[in-house]
Amino acid sequence: MKDLVYRTADSYYKAKQFANENPEAFWADIAGNFEWHTPWDKVLEFDFLTPEVKWFLGGKLNITENCLDRHLKTQPNQTAIIFEPNDPSEAAQHISYSELHSRVCRAANMLKANGAKKGDRICIYMPMTPELAIAVLACARIGAIHSVVFAGFSATALAARINDAECSILLTSDGGFRGAKVTPLKEIADEALTSCPSIKNCIVLRRTGQDISWNPIDLWWHEELEKVNDVCPAEIMDSEDPLFILYTSGSTGKPKGMVHTCGGYMVYTAYSFKNVFQYQKDDVYWCTADIGWITGHSYIIYGPLAVGATTVMFEGVPSYPDYGRFWEVCAKHKVNQFYTAPTAIRALQKHPTDLVEQHDLSSIKVLGSVGEPINAEAWHWYDKYVGKHKCPIVDTWWQTETGGILITSLAGVTPQKPTYATLPMPGIQAVLLDNKGNEIEGETEGILAIKYPWPSIARTIWGDHERYKNVYFSAYPGYYFPGDGALRDAESNFRITGRVDDVVIVSGHNLGTAPIENALNEHPHVVESAVVGFPHDIKGNALHAFVIPSTEVSANKLAEELRALVAKTIGPIAKPDRIQVVRGLPKTRSGKIMRRILRKLASGEHDSLGDVSTLLNPEVIEEIKKNN
Ligand code: WTA
């Protein structure tokens, strides 16, 4: 593969200009670096109003041939994945490209032997073990559409995702290790599967060895593998065939199954990975995300493997066995690029700096941040203690929907600016809009929008194209609307200011407030609820729930039950930090809950509520203020 990288600011700015003037030629040139069975006959077809986006039309490929087979010719013994287990006393595993290829092919044959074929949906609910990456790639090998569900989600959330995509196979594990905890994944999956009629087989990886119950559809992963060999030709896919579905929260109750396709996603994740992190051959790259999120899909698996990189997969958490674990792992594997989330940095920042300083971090060349705005304090701590003031920090803005990083600096190539994601990647046309949808120029603040497609934009919401249109393309016709606000400085750098809709980013996780309210409202003693975010010094944002009970209840007991209910319905990550029992919620005369006011109340900004006299029930404000 030709070096896809801009190593100088000059080549970067030239590429940017070329991409703006000749977008199709620009992307065709990049796509030419991959192996296609049949080249595309048209680079792009799009209409943001319908909306429809197609890239590399007529092109045929298999992404796993680009991520695996291709590297067997040049670097079969290169390490593809370094697996670092939760428990530091368990040995790390180094999986070479040739071993990974063999294990993926064998797993692909295991899926085929159990009835899987091209176009089927396969749900993956697994801990961060090498088999999770192998499962993802095995699906891609045979053209089955993977739907990875983060292993922290509850049985109800898992079942909803399986049913939405009508998955035919579930891949799971007996349990998962995460810090000092063992998560009973199989038990949760069993509960989910009581309401998932589409699942025909459940293949179970043995990881923790804990006792589990066994059902007629269950099969052991290791036993199934023994029945098949490791020869599995790749299914030839159309560029626009779906590669995977990944669910993300929205402003309404139902999660959105974002659909990514084979060709464009491959091109963009590889291109962005190499450029943003300035990866060089033999570097060891570590992204601490979970594969259950888009960051893990694009920047643990597909992007790095597509360029033949060595990618670290970590099973554990930053606090186990102590808050020095990240740095111990960086030193142990001589990590060169380290990519994590601001919430992790803020949590680590609270602990003594010796936990960082006692480890040799001299291998690190590049630091990255993702998932939410990084505040100045966390940025400077990261720069000083981890980067020793000599590593560029890339603050990468993107989304599940965008498939890859859209706004960022390129490490060491373009200027960084603390708390700013900085500039759109070459090929990305980002603009700011005012409330009416007019583009605004220069140093200003507005609504972030993208006005031209890029190859890894999600093509639809599984089974609901109308919703895709409404959420992303209707508010500002002619633009992709990501749901974030931003400001721009005089040098055209973007700083993302946060969500402009009812999604709250808690510890880097996207949480829609509506599904949490739905869960709270399920409680027999809750009449109505409203959930908003408020600033939190470690999580970035935390959740404050206002609930109206139906009878006199003990507020503490109700809060405890509600937290348990949210954990059960969605997952522990969605539990509100605060639950406030109220007699009423501020409403407009048309009955709409005034979330803007609740956000201020939850943030303690009692004096900047604005005019509340037009509310239907201004009296509730005083009561809420008194008690919060
Ligand atoms: C937020 C994660 C500021 C943003 C890759 C976006 C960020 C949402 C940044 C997507 C960043 C992500 N600076 N905000 N560098 N990165 N966000 O789908 O609000 O889990 O819309 O994708 O996270 O979250 P998602």
Side-chain angles (χ1 to χ4, degrees):
M1 181 165 160
K2 178 169 97 186
D3 213 20
L4 276 180
V5 189
Y6 316 119
R7 300 252 184 232
T8 61
D10 187 47
S11 58
Y12 166 88
Y13 288 107
K14 280 200 181 115
K16 213 163 199 175
Q17 191 180 349
F18 181 73
N20 285 341
E21 289 163 4
N22 309 283
E24 294 191 20
F26 173 80
W27 289 114
D29 189 36
I30 292 171
N33 288 285
F34 298 84
E35 283 189 2
W36 299 80
H37 281 266
T38 312
W40 58 91
D41 34 51
K42 195 166 180 206
V43 176
L44 170 67
E45 227 173 65
F46 87 101
D47 178 351
F48 269 180
L49 299 176
T50 353
E52 183 199 320
V53 182
K54 292 190 170 124
W55 281 93
F56 312 117
L57 291 87
K60 306 280 179 201
L61 77 157
N62 186 292
I63 194 167
T64 68
E65 289 184 321
N66 283 277
C67 289
L68 300 171
D69 304 58
R70 177 160 69 138
H71 307 309
L72 299 189
K73 298 171 211 155
T74 52
Q75 49 165 36
N77 301 322
Q78 177 79 27
T79 302
I81 295 178
I82 298 178
F83 170 62
E84 173 65 24
N86 178 61
D87 185 339
S89 65
E90 186 182 329
Q93 292 177 35
H94 288 71
I95 303 172
S96 68
Y97 272 92
S98 81
E99 181 185 346
L100 185 61
H101 178 267
S102 154
R103 290 175 70 179
V104 167
C105 288
R106 192 178 281 269
N109 282 336
M110 163 178 93
L111 296 176
K112 279 209 246 179
N114 283 290
K117 52 184 193 320
K118 179 175 176 177
D120 288 356
R121 276 80 58 210
I122 295 184
C123 180
I124 305 178
Y125 183 68
M126 291 178 65
M128 280 286 286
T129 55
E131 287 80 1
L132 166 54
I134 289 167
V136 162
L137 293 163
C139 290
R141 187 78 176 173
I142 63 169
I145 302 169
H146 55 79
S147 166
V148 181
V149 176
F150 173 61
F153 274 119
S154 70
T156 316
L158 173 61
R161 285 158 178 76
I162 290 174
N163 290 333
D164 183 69
E166 296 172 288
C167 296
S168 56
I169 295 180
L170 174 66
L171 303 176
T172 188
S173 161
D174 50 358
F177 295 122
R178 263 179 82 76
K181 276 194 282 197
V182 180
T183 318
L185 297 178
K186 174 66 164 64
E187 193 182 312
I188 298 169
D190 284 346
E191 192 187 332
L193 292 192
T194 58
S195 60
C196 298
S198 59
I199 295 284
K200 302 287 177 286
N201 292 309
C202 174
I203 306 181
V204 186
L205 175 78
R206 185 183 278 152
R207 173 61 183 134
T208 57
Q210 70 200 92
D211 285 339
I212 53 174
S213 51
W214 204 249
N215 300 314
I217 62 164
D218 294 341
L219 301 160
W220 277 116
W221 186 295
H222 56 273
E223 288 178 7
E224 293 309 292
L225 277 188
E226 274 169 26
K227 300 178 190 162
V228 294
N229 66 21
D230 68 352
V231 180
C232 181
E235 186 76 31
I236 312 278
M237 305 296 286
D238 189 90
S239 176
E240 281 298 317
D241 279 336
L243 172 65
F244 67 86
I245 302 170
L246 184 61
Y247 287 87
T248 186
S249 326
S251 315
T252 63
K254 208 173 159 217
K256 299 173 288 193
M258 304 315 305
V259 177
H260 284 283
T261 56
C262 298
Y265 178 80
M266 170 184 74
V267 170
Y268 197 83
T269 51
Y271 155 81
S272 52
F273 170 73
K274 234 179 163 182
N275 274 291
V276 173
F277 299 101
Q278 293 287 304
Y279 185 86
Q280 285 175 314
K281 190 165 164 32
D282 299 329
D283 281 349
V284 174
Y285 157 88
W286 181 17
C287 164
T288 69
D290 191 289
I291 288 172
W293 310 114
I294 191 68
T295 308
H297 281 59
S298 302
Y299 299 113
I300 294 179
I301 302 183
Y302 287 114
L305 297 180
V307 305
T310 299
T311 173
V312 177
M313 251 184 98
F314 175 46
E315 184 181 29
V317 293
S319 54
Y320 181 82
D322 64 38
Y323 280 90
R325 186 69 191 280
F326 271 2
W327 322 124
E328 184 225 317
V329 174
C330 282
K332 176 172 170 188
H333 297 298
K334 302 201 168 34
V335 167
N336 301 112
Q337 288 90 4
F338 179 75
Y339 189 29
T340 196
T343 186
I345 300 168
R346 288 191 297 264
L348 297 170
Q349 203 185 330
K350 299 253 177 258
H351 296 272
T353 51
D354 339 336
L355 287 166
V356 195
E357 284 158 350
Q358 67 193 216
H359 300 285
D360 174 8
L361 299 183
S362 58
S363 58
I364 299 181
K365 300 190 282 190
V366 174
L367 297 174
S369 169
V370 58
E372 57 183 310
I374 179 166
N375 50 307
E377 205 188 340
W379 196 99
H380 288 293
W381 187 90
Y382 201 26
D383 179 45
K384 179 172 176 189
Y385 293 102
V386 186
K388 322 286 183 205
H389 297 304
K390 63 180 181 46
C391 301
I393 298 179
V394 290
D395 175 359
T396 62
W397 175 84
W398 60 297
Q399 310 179 292
T400 305
E401 295 86 338
T402 69
I405 298 167
L406 299 194
I407 303 183
T408 181
S409 51
L410 304 196
V413 174
T414 65
Q416 62 189 25
K417 178 169 178 178
T419 76
Y420 280 71
T422 75
L423 302 173
M425 294 279 292
I428 303 301
Q429 301 185 23
V431 296
L432 290 181
L433 304 178
D434 65 15
N435 286 336
K436 296 195 185 72
N438 301 310
E439 279 184 37
I440 46 180
E441 304 295 331
E443 197 177 344
T444 184
E445 181 163 4
I447 290 151
L448 183 63
I450 318 286
K451 69 172 183 185
Y452 195 85
W454 62 99
S456 64
I457 183 175
R459 303 298 195 262
T460 190
I461 292 175
W462 183 262
D464 199 348
H465 198 67
E466 200 49 35
R467 186 174 179 199
Y468 173 72
K469 177 178 175 176
N470 290 337
V471 175
Y472 304 107
F473 297 93
S474 296
Y476 304 97
Y479 296 91
Y480 168 76
F481 165 59
D484 283 320
L487 56 83
R488 191 172 44 206
D489 73 4
E491 277 76 49
S492 301
N493 290 306
F494 286 95
R495 175 185 186 160
I496 312 302
T497 48
R499 302 291 308 182
V500 296
D501 59 9
D502 291 329
V503 171
V504 184
I505 315 268
V506 178
S507 299
H509 301 313
N510 241 350
L511 297 173
T513 53
I516 301 171
E517 290 164 7
N518 292 348
L520 296 172
N521 297 345
E522 289 288 301
H523 191 283
H525 292 145
V526 170
V527 182
E528 194 174 20
S529 64
V531 173
V532 297
F534 66 93
H536 184 280
D537 64 353
I538 291 180
K539 301 178 180 183
N541 296 290
L543 299 172
H544 187 129
F546 297 90
V547 296
I548 308 180
S550 58
T551 52
E552 283 295 317
V553 286
S554 140
N556 285 342
K557 183 162 172 286
L558 181 65
E560 203 177 295
E561 289 171 8
L562 289 175
R563 284 202 182 87
L565 186 59
V566 172
K568 187 168 180 319
T569 321
I570 302 168
I573 49 173
K575 282 195 283 191
D577 267 47
R578 299 192 202 134
I579 295 185
Q580 183 178 358
V581 170
V582 295
R583 260 182 304 171
L585 293 167
K587 290 191 177 171
T588 61
R589 288 181 194 263
S590 62
K592 202 168 175 302
I593 298 174
M594 288 294 285
R595 286 162 199 287
R596 184 180 56 77
I597 290 180
L598 289 175
R599 275 195 283 271
K600 295 225 153 140
L601 289 167
S603 309
E605 296 170 36
H606 289 186
D607 300 329
S608 59
L609 300 181
D611 181 14
V612 296
S613 64
T614 55
L615 291 178
L616 184 67
N617 51 353
E619 71 284 355
V620 299
I621 304 276
E622 283 314 309
E623 186 223 325
I624 295 178
K625 276 191 194 169
K626 218 167 24 190
N627 298 328
N628 90 1

